[in-house]
Every structure is written in structure tokens, then in C-alpha cells.
Amino acid sequence: MSIKDNIKKVRDNVYEVPGSVNKKMRASGRLYLDDESFEALEEGAIDQIVNIACLPGVHRYAIGLPDIHFGYGFPIGGVAAFNEKNGIVSPGGVGFDINCGVRLIKTNLKQADIEDKLDELIEALFKNIPSGVGSKGKIKLKENEIDDVLNFGAEWAVENGYGWKEDLEVLEENGRIKEADSAKVSDKAKRRGIPQLGSLGSGNHFLEIQVVDEIYNDEVAGVYGLEKGMVVIMIHSGSRGCGHQVCSDYLRVMDKAYKNHQIDLADRQLACAPFDSREAQDYLKAMYAAANYAWANRQMMTHWIRETFEDILGKSAKDMEMDIVYDVAHNIAKQETHKFKGNDIKLVVHRKGATRAFGPGSEEIPEKYREVGQPVLIPGTMGTASYVLHGTQTAMEETFGSTAHGAGRVLSRSQAKKDYKPEEIKNTLAANGVKIRATTENVIAEEAPGAYKDVDSVVKISDSTGIAKLVAKVKPLAVTKG
């Protein structure tokens, strides 16, 4: 009998993995999936949920969100929280692209205002914002400047002329985690980060010009400043080679640490250390520094997007009201306080391929959004819709204030290249009115919409279970891919 046969349906779109399926489990598992997604879910991802539930200090549930799929150690679309008193920290619960995240920029433009300039805009954005594997940014940092980027994040970018001071108010953590320490980041990670700052990257990262297609909640959309027909821009990018190297460095550290601390692991990819250990604290400080790098990276791209719109449309970014709606992190572990049985409990919440979805009243979100909950940005795949939702009290109670981060892959990149022809995809996108610029034909095949889960279904499950509620749907007009 497989583990799947023991999983019980708790309510519509919520399944429970009983803590009895493995005698080493210290908590049960929760899966937020509809029946079709549950049936299609690979056993490996379920095994990973069980393995996480065996880790020391795991609190309540190991969680699989609607976009769950097999990953390194933790599944992508996975969330787990560990008690600071007796729990652990695991780089596998964050992933290689630390603070891969999404930013949404609004405008006061309508689609008709840019229709005849769309080709120019996407060509200029493709030129002005470097993308692709190993792509280099437009600026050359001095060697000592990388430490300031790692320690101060988006604050550094704004202070150096990349954006507006008010931008910081609507970024998760205001674009900087203060506990970051660049001294804990290796020279190799810094060397990889120096040339790549201000670049989009490759894979599922993208920059899109979009239009707000539907509004589901007028009140919340009004608070977020979104209107039907409004042109918006979405950035999906992360910490580039810097974050990847930080993860690689500390996986080696943790591979020794879990043995030294005599932690019993079901999977070596879950290599970890106790929260209060030197290894865990060093990793957290380095990971926060990489997260700061990612916020600075997206901040610089925001600046160049504004400049591009100014150049092509002949108006100032201020006149076009190119304000940031919000910026969310996907791959991160954070020290947070959550309620449990009426008491505050300090946890290290690992979100891997998961978006924070803090509900109304949370002091961690911008004051202007506090009454309705934070904006949740769930990007689609190339050519499909993306969504804006809002955080909820249900998420706070059930998922440590978390929801899905995107569509989630169902095909490997190599399989996608076998199954899809770039020319056919481009023709389909063109038929749907979507313009595309990509560094290579292979990228177009690798990122084919059919290589991913249906984002509409992922969002529908988030909405129906209440872990994030729908606010708006945005559809692409033009996309640049690395």
C-alpha cells in the first residue's frame, strides 16, 4: 500500500497525510489540492512532505500547496515551520534561487495608450534589462559595493538612484532584512553576484507588460490601486548566481552539521542544523543577504522599466503613476511569530515556491493594505494569465500565512524541448495577441505553457480553500524571457 492510499480528505481541496504513515513523523502533512491534482501528484512529492514531517521541531503540519511538485529536499510549493527552541534550519527548504520573487508595477495607462508603441516597448525592455543564462547587468559594481548590496538590499538601490524612496514601503520586509551579514557570504558568491546585479536571468523568470483583465473584488482592488483595463508590468526574478552559490556553499556546511548534531534524516537533501547552532545562524545571515540582493536586483529593473516607458512614451514615470503595487518573495526562511492555541510561538517558516499571504491586521504588511491583507502575486506561465490575490486570516491559521507561488512545472525542461516546437508556441502566442522576445529558441520551448500546471486551477484552489482570495486577473500583452 502506498502512502497515497492512507491520505484522507479533510474537506474540499484539502487532504491530510496522517502522522501514522511513518513512525518517525513528528507532525502530519497537509495538501491543498483538488481531486484531479491529487490524483496526478507524484509519489516523490508526497514522500518529501513525509520526510519534512520527521524533522526536529516541525510545528503542526508539513504543507503542500496547490502548485506542489518534486524538488530538492523540500517539494516546490512546500511550507514548513520549525520551533526556534528545538527546531532546525534547512537550505533545502529555501532552494537555490533565494528570494526568487514577483513585483507588480501599476500605471495610469490603458491598453489603447500603448497599442502602437508595444513593439517598441518590448524591444527596448529586452535591450535595457539584460536576461538569459549568466547574463550580466548594466552596471559595474566595485568589489566593496557588493557588501552594501547584500546588507542593505533595495535601500542601497534607492540611495544610489534606482527608484523612489516610497518604493520601499510596498516591498516585503521593505526590501531589506536587517539581520543579513555579507561577511557570511563567500567570496565566490560575491564574485558571481557582482556582474549579474540588475539582470532578469533565465528559466521561468520573465518581464511582462500586462493589462488588468478582470476584477473579482472591487474593494480590495481599490485599496491596491488596480482598475480593469489598466496597464501593469510584472517582474519575476531572483538572486541570480549569488543566491545559487550561497545555497550550494551552505548545503556543504549542513551536510557535515546534521551528522555532527546527530540529526536523523530520511533524505540527505534535507541537511540541516539546529536553529541556535552556529551553522544555522551563519546560513540565515547569508541567506538574508542573498534575499537583499534579489530585492536590489528587482529594484534596479524597476528603475530601468520606468526609464524605458519614459523614453518610448514621452511622459515621466511620475505622470504615468508607475507605482509599485507590491513585491513578494518565494524562496525564503523567516523568523516569524504565529498564534497557536491562543499563544504566540516563534517559528522559522520555510517557504519554498510559496508566497507569503498575511491576512488583515498583520503589522508586517504596509499600513495602507493592513485592513484587507497583503497583496499576493501569483504569476502564470508564458502567455497565460497571472493573478493578484489578498492574504487572509485562514492562511494565518492554516498555512503560516502562505499560499501558492505560481503554476508549478509538470515537465522537465529537456522533455518540454522534445514535446514543443518554438515556432508553434510563438504562433500560438501571436494568435492570442501576445508579443515575445527571448534570448534563444530553446527557452521558448522549455517554458511552454504546457510544461506547467494550469495556473487558473492553482489560483482557484487557493481561493476556494481561503488561503488567499482572488482580487484581479492580469493577462500578458508582451513578454521578455531569458
Side-chain angles (χ1 to χ4, degrees):
M1 182 183 284
S2 72
I3 292 175
K4 213 173 204 180
D5 295 326
N6 289 293
I7 294 175
K8 301 169 184 175
K9 192 170 186 178
V10 177
R11 65 177 195 268
D12 283 350
N13 299 336
V14 182
Y15 290 83
E16 181 154 328
V17 185
S20 57
V21 300
N22 184 315
K23 63 182 181 182
K24 293 183 179 180
M25 288 175 73
R26 304 166 192 252
S28 55
R30 276 281 170 105
L31 302 172
Y32 288 78
L33 298 167
D34 60 19
D35 294 344
E36 185 180 351
S37 302
F38 175 73
E39 291 303 322
L41 183 62
E42 70 265 51
E43 292 278 354
I46 299 172
D47 290 341
Q48 290 185 320
I49 290 292
V50 171
N51 293 341
I52 294 164
C54 297
L55 289 170
V58 63
H59 183 68
R60 293 197 70 196
Y61 305 117
I63 296 166
L65 294 165
D67 51 350
I68 183 175
H69 57 288
F70 186 80
Y72 183 95
F74 275 56
I76 297 156
V79 174
F82 300 91
N83 195 308
E84 288 187 6
K85 291 180 180 176
N86 60 355
I88 55 86
V89 174
S90 174
V94 172
F96 285 90
D97 193 0
I98 295 166
N99 189 4
C100 178
V102 180
R103 179 175 296 202
L104 187 68
I105 304 162
K106 73 178 188 68
T107 74
N108 59 16
L109 304 169
K110 301 293 184 184
Q111 187 173 346
D113 297 328
I114 64 167
E115 203 78 71
D116 61 343
K117 297 284 189 179
L118 196 53
D119 283 318
E120 272 186 88
L121 279 168
I122 204 65
E123 285 295 330
L125 287 170
F126 187 71
K127 178 183 175 184
N128 292 338
I129 297 170
S131 61
V133 177
S135 55
K136 295 182 179 179
K138 291 167 62 174
I139 67 160
K140 289 189 177 178
L141 286 177
K142 295 174 184 156
E143 202 157 313
N144 60 334
E145 280 185 298
I146 188 65
D147 290 309
D148 290 337
V149 173
L150 293 166
N151 290 325
F152 297 99
E155 279 184 22
W156 173 89
V158 170
E159 285 175 9
N160 282 273
Y162 299 100
W164 309 331
K165 192 172 181 180
E166 58 266 33
D167 290 343
L168 302 176
E169 297 170 13
V170 285
L171 312 183
E172 187 171 326
E173 299 292 340
N174 301 118
R176 177 197 174 195
I177 297 180
K178 293 178 180 176
E179 290 77 14
D181 184 356
S182 63
K184 304 301 181 183
V185 177
S186 71
D187 288 342
K188 186 174 182 180
K190 291 176 184 178
R191 286 196 303 271
R192 290 185 68 181
I194 285 170
Q196 292 185 336
L197 188 65
S199 63
L200 190 64
S202 60
N204 64 345
H205 295 163
F206 66 75
L207 190 160
E208 280 188 358
I209 300 173
Q210 305 167 330
V211 63
V212 178
D213 189 46
E214 288 186 54
I215 298 289
Y216 303 104
N217 186 318
D218 291 322
E219 180 196 353
V220 180
V223 173
Y224 294 169
L226 298 174
E227 299 173 8
K228 187 170 181 176
M230 172 187 282
V231 171
V232 296
I233 303 99
M234 185 175 279
I235 307 169
H236 181 197
S237 187
S239 52
R240 308 290 281 112
C242 179
H244 195 285
Q245 190 62 48
V246 167
C247 181
S248 297
D249 291 339
Y250 280 92
L251 280 172
R252 285 191 288 274
V253 171
M254 294 297 185
D255 195 47
K256 295 177 183 175
Y258 86 85
K259 296 168 188 170
N260 292 339
H261 292 284
Q262 299 181 321
I263 298 171
D264 184 22
L265 294 182
D267 179 1
R268 189 175 169 187
Q269 291 183 357
L270 292 174
C272 58
F275 169 76
D276 58 3
S277 69
R278 177 186 54 80
E279 296 96 334
Q281 289 301 310
D282 284 355
Y283 167 70
L284 285 172
K285 290 170 185 174
M287 184 264 295
Y288 292 153
N292 287 348
Y293 179 102
W295 277 310
N297 193 38
R298 292 196 287 274
Q299 186 62 35
M300 295 171 78
M301 287 188 274
T302 299
H303 173 70
W304 291 322
I305 288 167
R306 286 169 174 159
E307 281 192 338
T308 301
F309 269 68
E310 288 178 332
D311 291 344
I312 302 297
L313 299 177
K315 299 178 183 177
S316 74
K318 289 283 189 183
D319 285 344
M320 289 183 280
E321 297 177 5
M322 297 185 74
D323 301 318
I324 298 169
V325 177
Y326 204 53
D327 179 298
V328 292
H330 287 160
N331 298 343
I332 202 161
K334 293 165 90 171
Q335 294 166 249
E336 297 172 358
T337 301
H338 288 267
K339 290 278 185 192
F340 182 61
K341 295 182 178 178
N343 298 315
D344 288 342
I345 184 166
K346 291 184 177 181
L347 302 169
V348 185
V349 182
H350 292 58
R351 296 185 181 92
K352 182 177 181 180
T355 300
R356 198 180 68 169
F358 278 20
S362 299
E363 291 184 5
E364 294 88 346
I365 59 180
E367 191 172 346
K368 66 179 180 177
Y369 299 149
R370 213 163 282 171
E371 282 190 21
V372 298
Q374 75 163 82
V376 173
L377 308 175
I378 299 187
T381 59
M382 188 171 61
T384 71
S386 296
Y387 290 87
V388 181
L389 300 88
H390 71 87
T392 65
Q393 186 58 34
T394 299
M396 302 305 288
E397 293 168 0
E398 295 189 16
T399 61
F400 308 106
S402 311
T403 192
H405 88 304
R409 286 197 83 93
V410 291
L411 292 180
S412 68
R413 289 189 165 86
S414 58
Q415 188 61 49
K417 282 192 284 188
K418 292 176 185 175
D419 291 357
Y420 295 99
K421 292 183 171 59
E423 204 57 43
E424 291 176 3
I425 296 167
K426 286 194 285 187
N427 290 339
T428 301
L429 292 174
N432 291 326
V434 181
K435 301 178 186 295
I436 181 166
R437 284 294 273 112
T439 49
T440 68
E441 297 284 287
N442 278 343
V443 167
I444 296 174
E446 288 172 1
E447 296 302 309
Y452 288 84
K453 292 183 180 183
D454 177 8
V455 71
D456 298 344
S457 172
V458 167
V459 167
K460 195 174 179 183
I461 296 166
S462 288
D463 183 73
S464 69
T465 56
I467 57 174
K469 299 295 288 181
L470 276 162
V471 177
K473 175 183 179 180
V474 296
K475 68 176 185 181
L477 300 175
V479 55
T480 74
K481 295 288 292 185

